[in-house]
Structure formats: C-alpha cells, structure tokens
Amino acid sequence: MKRQKFITAENLPIMTRAFAESVDPALRSGGDVTVSLIGEPGVGKSYISGKMSDAVTGPHVTALTMTVPRDNMHDLILWSVRESENVQIRQMDNASRRFVDADYHDFVFAQRLLHPVPVRTKPGINFIEHPDETMEFASDLVVRLSFSPQQREAILMLRDNMFGAAPEVVASIKDDIASVMAQGCLLEMEFQGNRIDRVPLIDFFDEPEAKIGREDDEPDLEFAL
C-alpha cells in the first residue's frame, strides 16, 4: 500500500505527528520499527527523517553523531543516535550499490569497521538510507523522496547556467538552486507488514490539501534542505 504527497514547510509538522502516532503502538510493545529512505542527493532524506525522529522523541533527547571526513568532499555522517528516556533512534547509511557507486559503498563499510553503529539498548526506530533489497523488503515503511518534475527541470537549467559563469554568478545560481530545493519534496510512503498503525499516516495522505490547516499557535518551521 502506497501513499504520496508533496511535503512543504506547512504540512511537514502534520506528517511527522502522524508518523509518531503510527509507530507508537510498536514502540510501546517494546519492538523496533525500520524505515528505509530512498532519494536523490540533496532531496532532504536526513532532514525529513530528523523531523520524524523529533516527533517521536520530543524535546528531551541526547544525540551522538559519528562524522568522518572525505577527500575533496563534505564530511559524511556515518551514523547518528538520538535517545529519549524510553526510545532510541538510529540513522545510518546502508550504501547499497543499487544507489551509490562502488567507491562510496566501500568507504562507508570500511568506516563502519572503524566506527561501529552503537548497539541498540531501547526500543526504537532504525532509519536506513540507501538500503539494499533485503533491508527494503524487511522495512515497516519505505519512504521515497524526489523533486517534482518542475523542480528537477529548474535545477537542471540552473546548473547548465553555471558552466563558464563568473564566480559571483555561480554563487548566485547556487542560492537559486537552494531556493528551488527548499520548496519541498514529493514524498511517497509504502506501508509493509502490520507492525505499525497505518491509520494516522493514511489519514494525512488522503486528506485533501485544502482542508489541512495549521493551528494558530503552531510555531513557524524553517524548511532548509
């Protein structure tokens, strides 16, 4: 069973609250929930999963992140662990060759040997980016993120304009690309198995967008991918 909706700064808090309600029965029973995350670079996999985590743990949480440097590239978040009093949420990259090249896959798994993912000590959630087929099939939820066709077209056009441009123009175009990305993303959620309560999330996806409104006292949320 699949559902799909374009996620923006307006409806993201509603979606994450629905997610927290959906996984609550499994967590209360002492079980674990696995969520596979699939999406192109820059689409916001870590950002979205971080907001989903916050909705489950609440504000009182400790966090541990293992970041490793890479040559001529931004540092890689190898894994992260968030813990509240009763829940532990782990996020890691499975670096499946279905989605990444061999060099990236080998780098991730070599670093995993040096910096193992902490052993689970509480019920919780595993967010797995770039899952292999076995992991995806075994997940309770599969979340696929993508840019809309209009966003993708705009990003490609802007990137084409970067070739041969002056440095100040390139900087301006990068800002424009970031603005396009920050508009949101298309999120598809596939429900697998019966370990979670699907109803809150299905209600969110099936509710017409015009009927979903923010509460007056809901804080503003900056959606920066």
mmCIF file with all atom_site columns, all heavy atoms in Angstrom, residues 75 79 183:
data_model
loop_
_atom_site.group_PDB
_atom_site.id
_atom_site.type_symbol
_atom_site.label_atom_id
_atom_site.label_alt_id
_atom_site.label_comp_id
_atom_site.label_asym_id
_atom_site.label_entity_id
_atom_site.label_seq_id
_atom_site.pdbx_PDB_ins_code
_atom_site.Cartn_x
_atom_site.Cartn_y
_atom_site.Cartn_z
_atom_site.occupancy
_atom_site.B_iso_or_equiv
_atom_site.pdbx_formal_charge
_atom_site.auth_seq_id
_atom_site.auth_comp_id
_atom_site.auth_asym_id
_atom_site.auth_atom_id
_atom_site.pdbx_PDB_model_num
ATOM 1  N N   . ASP A 1 75  ? 31.998 16.330 4.760  1.00 0.00 ? 75  ASP A N   1
ATOM 2  C CA  . ASP A 1 75  ? 32.089 15.211 5.695  1.00 0.00 ? 75  ASP A CA  1
ATOM 3  C C   . ASP A 1 75  ? 30.844 14.334 5.612  1.00 0.00 ? 75  ASP A C   1
ATOM 4  O O   . ASP A 1 75  ? 29.745 14.807 5.324  1.00 0.00 ? 75  ASP A O   1
ATOM 5  C CB  . ASP A 1 75  ? 32.252 15.729 7.131  1.00 0.00 ? 75  ASP A CB  1
ATOM 6  C CG  . ASP A 1 75  ? 33.602 16.404 7.348  1.00 0.00 ? 75  ASP A CG  1
ATOM 7  O OD1 . ASP A 1 75  ? 34.462 16.287 6.455  1.00 0.00 ? 75  ASP A OD1 1
ATOM 8  O OD2 . ASP A 1 75  ? 33.768 17.054 8.395  1.00 0.00 ? 75  ASP A OD2 1
ATOM 9  N N   . TRP A 1 79  ? 26.732 7.646  10.986 1.00 0.00 ? 79  TRP A N   1
ATOM 10 C CA  . TRP A 1 79  ? 25.541 7.242  11.727 1.00 0.00 ? 79  TRP A CA  1
ATOM 11 C C   . TRP A 1 79  ? 25.248 8.275  12.800 1.00 0.00 ? 79  TRP A C   1
ATOM 12 O O   . TRP A 1 79  ? 26.110 9.079  13.156 1.00 0.00 ? 79  TRP A O   1
ATOM 13 C CB  . TRP A 1 79  ? 25.684 5.849  12.358 1.00 0.00 ? 79  TRP A CB  1
ATOM 14 C CG  . TRP A 1 79  ? 26.936 5.597  13.153 1.00 0.00 ? 79  TRP A CG  1
ATOM 15 C CD1 . TRP A 1 79  ? 28.031 4.896  12.748 1.00 0.00 ? 79  TRP A CD1 1
ATOM 16 C CD2 . TRP A 1 79  ? 27.232 6.036  14.496 1.00 0.00 ? 79  TRP A CD2 1
ATOM 17 N NE1 . TRP A 1 79  ? 28.985 4.878  13.742 1.00 0.00 ? 79  TRP A NE1 1
ATOM 18 C CE2 . TRP A 1 79  ? 28.520 5.557  14.831 1.00 0.00 ? 79  TRP A CE2 1
ATOM 19 C CE3 . TRP A 1 79  ? 26.537 6.773  15.443 1.00 0.00 ? 79  TRP A CE3 1
ATOM 20 C CZ2 . TRP A 1 79  ? 29.115 5.809  16.062 1.00 0.00 ? 79  TRP A CZ2 1
ATOM 21 C CZ3 . TRP A 1 79  ? 27.125 7.033  16.675 1.00 0.00 ? 79  TRP A CZ3 1
ATOM 22 C CH2 . TRP A 1 79  ? 28.401 6.539  16.972 1.00 0.00 ? 79  TRP A CH2 1
ATOM 23 N N   . GLN A 1 183 ? 11.727 24.394 -1.590 1.00 0.00 ? 183 GLN A N   1
ATOM 24 C CA  . GLN A 1 183 ? 10.277 24.449 -1.790 1.00 0.00 ? 183 GLN A CA  1
ATOM 25 C C   . GLN A 1 183 ? 9.596  23.202 -1.231 1.00 0.00 ? 183 GLN A C   1
ATOM 26 O O   . GLN A 1 183 ? 8.393  23.228 -0.943 1.00 0.00 ? 183 GLN A O   1
ATOM 27 C CB  . GLN A 1 183 ? 9.965  24.583 -3.280 1.00 0.00 ? 183 GLN A CB  1
ATOM 28 C CG  . GLN A 1 183 ? 10.382 25.908 -3.875 1.00 0.00 ? 183 GLN A CG  1
ATOM 29 C CD  . GLN A 1 183 ? 10.242 25.920 -5.384 1.00 0.00 ? 183 GLN A CD  1
ATOM 30 O OE1 . GLN A 1 183 ? 9.800  24.943 -5.992 1.00 0.00 ? 183 GLN A OE1 1
ATOM 31 N NE2 . GLN A 1 183 ? 10.621 27.026 -6.007 1.00 0.00 ? 183 GLN A NE2 1
#
